[in-house]
Amino acid sequence: MTSLPKGSSNCITDVSGIKVGHVTLYEKIDEQDTICTGVTAILPHGGNLFTKKVRAASSVINGYGKTVGLVQVDELGLLESPIMLTNTFSVGTVLQGTLQYMLNENEEIGDSASSINIVVGECNDSCLNSMRLQAVKPEHAIEAIRNATSKPVIEGAVGAGKGMVCFGYKGGIGTASRLVAVDDVQYTVGCLVLSNFGKREDALFTSWDTEKLTMPDGSIMMIIATDAPLYDRQLKRLAKRCTAGLGRTGSHIANGSGDIAIAFSTANPYSHESNEHVASMTFVRDDHPAMNKLFQAVVEVTEEAVIRSLKKAETTKGRKGRVVEKAPFV
């Protein structure tokens, strides 16, 4: 199968309007403890995310994870907040900070609009980060959102990826994009991952030593974005294809791994302020060859985003003097 062409920056922000921001926390406290963690924010567009929602869905490939907000995403098929990524013990504080940001932006939330659904995903960075210190605060979530930009994404040991480990080497944030041509229209599919899974002997994309490291099964968050006109059922189908891309890297979706994908489309936004009792939208036909190309794009960007998370990360020293090295690609 011929690979699809890459986007101009080969990252999720090649999908027009998407912004990504990081806050990285790194500080040695003493001989035992090191803060080595952070927050990453993915914004579907630069406008008001609550009043201009986007179509979305998720796929829980293996549910060993502590995400929040996915139940409503799958029930209503809409995303109305940034997608936030952080470490396992900081989901609550990132939720609080993101909620405060959205409340500041929208006076009607909690009043005439009653509620909002915040989405936060996580991976466990306790190999390098002293997670028990709970260093991430609500203001760090707000800062990550405010840092968000449409420029090419900074990858590797940054933001939520600062303390992550992938295939026994330094992992973290990775991203990639592909272009799908349909007649005279071109769509973009982008992926951003937070990689924190796998053992060295599992990797299929290179040859590494098989030194046995004592590591938990780990996790990965995979965020798929596209400007193709899809609705929530179709986006769930895209999210499921992350499994194939993950498998290409060597993952066998371990028992203790949280492997979770979220997919959204910037096309067909949903207006919170509309009073119409019916709405209409256009979407790609399921039986059109374009869907297979979109599926292929998801597989390719997921695989490459994982590999880029390794290639872009640097050797990092964390708690208890532990050092996780940069992957020696050959």
Side-chain angles (χ1 to χ4, degrees), residues 155-158 161 164-175 193-200 202-206 208 220 246 249-251 302-316 324-330:
E155 301 171 81
V158 63
M164 302 301 172
V165 183
C166 188
F167 290 113
Y169 289 106
K170 190 68 194 72
I173 299 293
T175 186
V193 303
L194 177 63
S195 70
N196 192 57
F197 71 96
K199 298 180 177 11
R200 291 184 183 177
D202 296 335
L204 297 178
F205 49 88
T206 191
W208 285 330
I220 183 170
L246 193 55
T249 70
S251 170
T302 303
E303 177 188 25
E304 186 176 9
V306 170
I307 295 171
R308 286 177 63 90
S309 75
L310 287 153
K311 285 185 174 181
K312 297 294 183 177
E314 298 294 336
T315 297
T316 303
V324 177
E325 298 176 347
K326 178 180 177 64
F329 278 86
V330 295

Side-chain angles (χ1 to χ4, degrees), residues 227-246:
D227 55 9
L230 306 173
Y231 62 98
D232 55 301
R233 182 185 60 77
Q234 295 175 313
L235 289 164
K236 181 174 281 289
R237 298 186 76 200
L238 258 64
K240 288 179 179 180
R241 267 64 183 184
C242 287
T243 310
L246 193 55

Side-chain angles (χ1 to χ4, degrees), residues 261-272:
I262 303 170
F264 66 87
S265 170
T266 60
N268 294 318
Y270 182 91
S271 174
H272 176 79

Side-chain angles (χ1 to χ4, degrees), residues 7-47:
S8 59
S9 297
N10 196 23
C11 71
I12 195 170
T13 55
D14 286 333
V15 180
S16 180
I18 292 179
K19 296 184 176 183
V20 176
H22 302 297
V23 166
T24 304
L25 305 178
Y26 188 58
E27 179 185 359
K28 181 177 180 180
I29 305 300
D30 53 38
E31 293 305 313
Q32 289 296 309
D33 288 316
T34 297
I35 296 169
C36 184
T37 191
V39 183
T40 294
I42 302 101
L43 282 62
H45 57 78

Side-chain angles (χ1 to χ4, degrees), residues 151-220:
K151 295 179 181 178
V153 176
I154 301 173
E155 301 171 81
V158 63
K162 181 60 181 177
M164 302 301 172
V165 183
C166 188
F167 290 113
Y169 289 106
K170 190 68 194 72
I173 299 293
T175 186
S177 69
R178 293 293 187 273
L179 303 177
V180 173
V182 183
D183 299 327
D184 59 347
V185 178
Q186 180 172 271
Y187 300 125
T188 303
V189 176
C191 178
L192 183 145
V193 303
L194 177 63
S195 70
N196 192 57
F197 71 96
K199 298 180 177 11
R200 291 184 183 177
E201 60 268 26
D202 296 335
L204 297 178
F205 49 88
T206 191
S207 177
W208 285 330
D209 68 79
T210 56
E211 177 185 355
K212 301 296 182 181
L213 302 177
T214 304
M215 296 290 296
D217 289 337
S219 298
I220 183 170

